[in-house]
Each structure stands twice: as C-alpha cells, then as structure tokens.
Amino acid sequence: MRVYVTGGTGFVGSNVVKVMTERHSDEVFCPVHAWRPAEPAAFGWAPVDLGDEEAIRRSVRAFRPDAIVHCAILNDFLGLYADRRRAWDAYVGATGRLAAAANEVGAKLVLVSTDWVFDGTQAPASEETPPNPINLYGFLKAASELVALERADDAAVARVSGVNGTHWARPDLPRSQDAGFGYFVASIVDALSRSRTFTVWESHAINTRATPSLASDSAERIRRIIERGLRGIFHCCGGESSTRTGLAHLTADVFDLDPGLLRTGPPDPSLTLPAPIPYDTSLSSDATAAALGLEPTPLRELLAQFRDERETLDLSPRLGAGHKVATKGSP
C-alpha cells in the first residue's frame, strides 16, 4: 500500500507512519513543514506547503498514493484565536486542497479528527451523534470533517480521543499536563518514575473524562479503514472511558509506580485555556469495531502496550484484544 501522510513528523502522524512502514511494510511519503525527519528515514519526504494547492497536487501526483491520511494540524490553540483566517485555512482549507488532490489520483482521503467536536454533554457520543463543538479547535475539526466527507470522492473520518503514546519523531520531548488528555500518561510516568509528586487536575472547566487511546492502536485502526475500503465516520479510540484521576491510578498500577505520589487539585491557572473546554468527551466505538473487525482495546491493555513502547523504544509486540478479528460468536 502507498500512503501519503500529512503531519507525519507529529505525534499521531508519527505513529501512523511507524505502524504502516514497520508493521505492514507500506510505502509512505510525508510532506513536511518546519520539522525535518532524522536521516535515514523509513519513508520518503520533501518540503510541501499545505497552503499551496498546486504544490500539494504536484506532490500527490508524483507519489500517486492509494490513500492520503491527513494528520497535520496548526498545533497552537491560542494562535487559532489570534488569527482566525489563518486557522481556517490551516484546517478547513488544507482539507479541501487534499480532497481535490486525492480525487485527481483516485486516492482515499482519511481525515484524523477529534473527540472535541462534541460539547462535553453528549457522552458517550457515537459515530452518528451530531457534533456540537464549543471552542474554535473543535469547530475547525468539525468543519474539516464536512469538507472531507463532501468533497472527497472516497473519504473517511477517523476520530481519536485522549491520545497517549510515543512521539516517534521526537521521543525525548518533555511532556506536561494540559486541559486535555493528550500526553497525560507520559506526564505521570515521567514524574512518578523520578519519585516526584504529580497533581492530577480536577475541574469542570477542563476535559475531565474521555476515552483514552494509544496512538499506535489508533494508527492500526486507521490502516484497517483504508485496507477495507471503508467510508464515513469512525471512532479510532480505546475501549473504555475514564476520568483523569482514574487513569492516573491505573497508570501507576500498570507501570509499577507509587500511587502515593499522586495528588489532586485545581489546574494551574497559567496553563489553562481562555476558551470553553468539553468536560466529558467519552466516545462509543461499537459501530467502528463492527466495521473494522477489531474489538476495542481495554484501557489496561493499552497502557501495557504503551509501557512496552517506552521500555523497548519500538512498537509494542502485544497484539491484544484490540487486534483480534471480531467475528460472530467470538468470546
């Protein structure tokens, strides 16, 4: 399979690239912007401006992928509000340009989206629940979903939720807790493994419950969407929702760390965001599991896979419940 991955040097994108190249021996090309991959890379790459429609089309025509996986985002929450025209173009405009390029070469477009397209009161949101974003990031992702599904001849939306795991392009980058669930587990492990206390934020003003995912597990599901030629909306997330505190204590257990170092408290005012944050973004993935033939992976198993990745600096060899083919009559 030939796959064109935008944002391939980012967090989710680097997992898509690693799963496809190392687990499935796919041929991958990544258009890059500011960050350059270390050489030698297991994939092809070249600088491509996702704001330039002709540059995208030239790049896609040259590679002629079977699928385009669009992971790239403008990863600057405050910057989205500071320059909304730029934000719109970086999300919605780029998705439209990639849809046109995909149509030209007959490729499938898979847009990686987010649980933040929901308002925090719709849990557990299914694949058919209408989005109702309450901040600009969620709005831009919801608008991008519509553009992908309406403009691409063959499109799928892969929503991820509370994504944790290894950033394969920059595995040593320090992590810190924020208003969402991303990097939350790594932040806890980094602190507790150094015998430092960790204060789990508790507040109705932040994302307090979600469906934690492992980036490599989500990447496996994204590849299955392509492999099976599926269209529509899919929830490529873990199998269980959790609160921040619940996830923190389970992390300490799975990683054999001291739960006595965990504390709870309000968010750091200097690190909170000046915009509404959805409180409960738990997702249901029953329809996705049936379509993919992959049962949702239990949260403990996801954390065990993440521990494998951290300790081996490679993809987890564990292929647990989330990678079993779901067939009628399976236990």
Side-chain angles (χ1 to χ4, degrees):
M1 187 184 300
R2 294 169 63 83
V3 188
Y4 188 98
V5 182
T6 73
T9 57
F11 177 35
V12 174
S14 68
N15 278 271
V16 171
V17 170
K18 193 170 182 72
V19 164
M20 290 185 171
T21 57
E22 296 188 12
R23 191 175 282 163
H24 298 284
S25 300
D26 294 327
E27 188 172 352
V28 172
F29 179 88
C30 299
V32 300
H33 178 50
W35 183 261
R36 299 293 191 265
E39 293 288 3
F43 53 91
W45 63 273
V48 179
D49 181 2
L50 295 184
D52 185 334
E53 183 167 5
E54 185 51 38
I56 292 173
R57 287 187 165 182
R58 284 197 305 269
S59 177
V60 171
R61 282 198 301 264
F63 185 62
R64 301 202 70 84
D66 300 301
I68 296 174
V69 180
H70 182 28
C71 305
I73 61 170
L74 177 57
N75 191 18
D76 181 358
F77 192 92
L78 297 179
L80 302 182
Y81 284 89
D83 190 342
R84 299 192 186 203
R85 185 178 297 277
R86 176 173 177 249
W88 177 269
D89 188 68
Y91 282 79
V92 185
T95 302
R97 289 186 283 272
L98 288 163
N103 291 346
E104 186 175 345
V105 299
K108 182 181 200 68
L109 176 65
V110 181
L111 170 70
V112 177
S113 191
T114 174
D115 54 341
W116 281 26
V117 299
F118 299 110
D119 65 15
T121 69
Q122 300 165 276
S126 76
E127 296 85 346
E128 296 183 352
T129 302
N132 186 36
I134 58 173
N135 58 46
L136 185 54
Y137 172 67
F139 169 76
L140 292 170
K141 276 296 193 180
S144 297
E145 290 185 3
L146 290 173
V147 168
L149 294 171
E150 292 183 2
R151 293 192 186 176
D153 295 336
D154 182 359
V157 168
R159 291 181 183 142
V160 296
S161 169
V163 186
N164 286 274
T166 304
H167 190 317
W168 296 107
R170 287 177 280 180
D172 297 325
L173 192 69
R175 312 299 177 196
S176 60
Q177 184 175 197
D178 59 27
F181 270 67
Y183 298 127
F184 184 66
V185 172
S187 301
I188 294 168
V189 175
D190 287 346
L192 270 56
S193 63
R194 292 172 171 81
S195 299
R196 298 174 182 168
T197 60
F198 184 93
T199 299
V200 179
W201 294 350
E202 289 188 341
S203 171
H204 287 283
I206 61 174
N207 193 190
T208 299
R209 179 179 282 275
T211 306
S213 306
L214 180 65
S216 56
D217 184 83
S218 296
E220 191 70 44
R221 295 170 191 279
I222 289 168
R223 190 185 185 279
R224 182 64 70 95
I225 291 171
I226 300 168
E227 183 181 56
R228 291 201 165 191
L230 302 174
R231 301 180 181 185
I233 296 174
F234 302 90
H235 286 173
C236 297
C237 57
E240 302 171 66
S241 68
S242 175
T243 62
R244 299 170 81 93
T245 301
L247 179 57
H249 281 274
L250 185 58
T251 296
D253 185 37
V254 172
F255 282 79
D256 294 321
L257 298 169
D258 182 5
L261 294 170
L262 294 172
R263 308 284 187 270
T264 58
D268 182 339
S270 68
L271 298 178
T272 54
L273 300 172
I277 304 299
Y279 176 80
D280 183 351
T281 57
S282 303
L283 300 180
S284 166
S285 59
D286 292 345
T288 295
L292 300 186
L294 295 176
E295 293 291 347
T297 309
L299 183 50
R300 179 177 289 274
E301 175 63 20
L302 287 177
L303 292 174
Q305 289 182 35
F306 185 18
R307 180 174 179 175
D308 281 346
E309 290 181 0
R310 284 179 63 94
E311 292 178 352
T312 66
L313 297 180
D314 205 349
L315 287 174
S316 171
R318 294 170 180 261
L319 294 179
H323 297 284
K324 293 179 180 176
V325 176
T327 57
K328 189 174 182 180
S330 296

